[in-house]
Amino acid sequence: MSDDKTPSPAPAETEAATVPSFRLREETDKRRALETQLATALKETTSLQEQYKALEEKYSTQATTHNQDITLMSSGIKDAEVRDFVRSRYSGDQPFNEWLTAQKESPSPLLAPFLKSAAPVAPVPPAPTPVEATPAPAAPAPIGNPKAGVQTGAPSHSSKSWGAEEIIAARAKGRGTLGDSKDAILAQLKAEGLLK
């Protein structure tokens, strides 16, 4: 009778504790798919990290070379092959700028020809002042109409009529002067009898 005293589990509790097999398979498949995605993501991440390191090393190398090129060019070494040669002699024990300065002060026998040519060039003498041009000889009077000085009536003038508006426009064009139009205006005014 001691068996009768132990309480037996309720049938509802036993059914709730069990998971149907199809549901268990679904959850297992989901977990496996997520694990596969995780493994793929880890491989891609590792690949990206390797590419990043390679690019970082390449950038660092190019940045160093660029900075050295700038230093060498500012020192007067323009030729790329010479820059490469000078750079190949650099040991890396000290900063490149300091090394190059020390080499300029007391160059090694191999670098001496290149660093001496990179010495500052003597300043260019100032350009001579331009000599004032002598005035050109006056052009001879053109040979023209032998009756040029003889007036046979009213003085001739150009066919253009010079009114107040045209004179104002000519002054504006000549910046306050009549410019090339002066002779034509005076000839017209003389022809009209307004000037003597």
Side-chain angles (χ1 to χ4, degrees), residues 9 21 25 34 55 96 103 111 128 161 170 189 193:
S21 62
R25 275 190 299 262
L34 289 173
L55 288 172
F96 187 78
Q103 286 297 316
L111 296 179
S161 174
L189 292 174

Side-chain angles (χ1 to χ4, degrees), residues 150-167:
V150 179
Q151 288 191 358
T152 59
S156 64
H157 62 84
S158 65
S159 62
K160 184 171 182 179
S161 174
W162 289 95
E165 294 177 12
E166 288 82 12
I167 294 174

Side-chain angles (χ1 to χ4, degrees), residues 77-91:
I77 301 173
K78 306 291 184 203
D79 188 77
E81 291 180 20
V82 175
R83 287 194 311 262
D84 289 341
F85 176 72
V86 172
R87 193 180 299 111
S88 72
R89 306 301 301 164
Y90 173 60
S91 63

Side-chain angles (χ1 to χ4, degrees), residues 13-192:
E13 290 178 13
T14 307
E15 288 177 16
T18 61
V19 177
S21 62
F22 74 91
R23 179 82 174 126
L24 183 59
R25 275 190 299 262
E26 286 177 0
E27 293 301 318
T28 304
D29 290 343
K30 285 181 185 178
R31 182 176 180 195
R32 285 186 187 143
L34 289 173
E35 286 174 348
T36 304
Q37 288 177 357
L38 178 63
T40 304
L42 285 175
K43 286 180 186 176
E44 289 177 3
T45 303
T46 304
S47 172
L48 289 173
Q49 286 174 340
E50 290 171 1
Q51 290 175 3
Y52 174 75
K53 285 180 184 177
L55 288 172
E56 193 173 47
E57 289 173 9
K58 183 178 178 182
Y59 169 75
S60 175
T61 303
Q62 287 181 348
T64 301
T65 302
H66 176 71
N67 289 338
Q68 291 173 354
D69 278 345
I70 295 295
T71 302
L72 290 169
M73 289 175 119
S74 66
S75 297
I77 301 173
K78 306 291 184 203
D79 188 77
E81 291 180 20
V82 175
R83 287 194 311 262
D84 289 341
F85 176 72
V86 172
R87 193 180 299 111
S88 72
R89 306 301 301 164
Y90 173 60
S91 63
D93 296 339
Q94 59 190 21
F96 187 78
N97 295 346
E98 293 175 12
W99 174 81
L100 187 62
T101 304
Q103 286 297 316
K104 284 181 182 178
E105 292 171 3
S106 61
S108 69
L110 288 173
L111 296 179
F114 304 114
L115 296 177
K116 284 183 182 176
S117 66
V121 179
V124 178
T129 57
V131 178
E132 291 184 25
T134 57
I143 300 173
N145 185 359
K147 298 180 183 180
V150 179
Q151 288 191 358
T152 59
S156 64
H157 62 84
S158 65
S159 62
K160 184 171 182 179
S161 174
W162 289 95
E165 294 177 12
E166 288 82 12
I167 294 174
I168 291 171
R171 285 191 72 187
K173 184 177 177 184
R175 295 184 181 158
T177 64
L178 296 175
D180 297 333
S181 307
K182 177 180 178 182
D183 294 331
I185 294 171
L186 289 174
Q188 178 185 340
L189 292 174
K190 284 180 184 179
E192 294 175 357

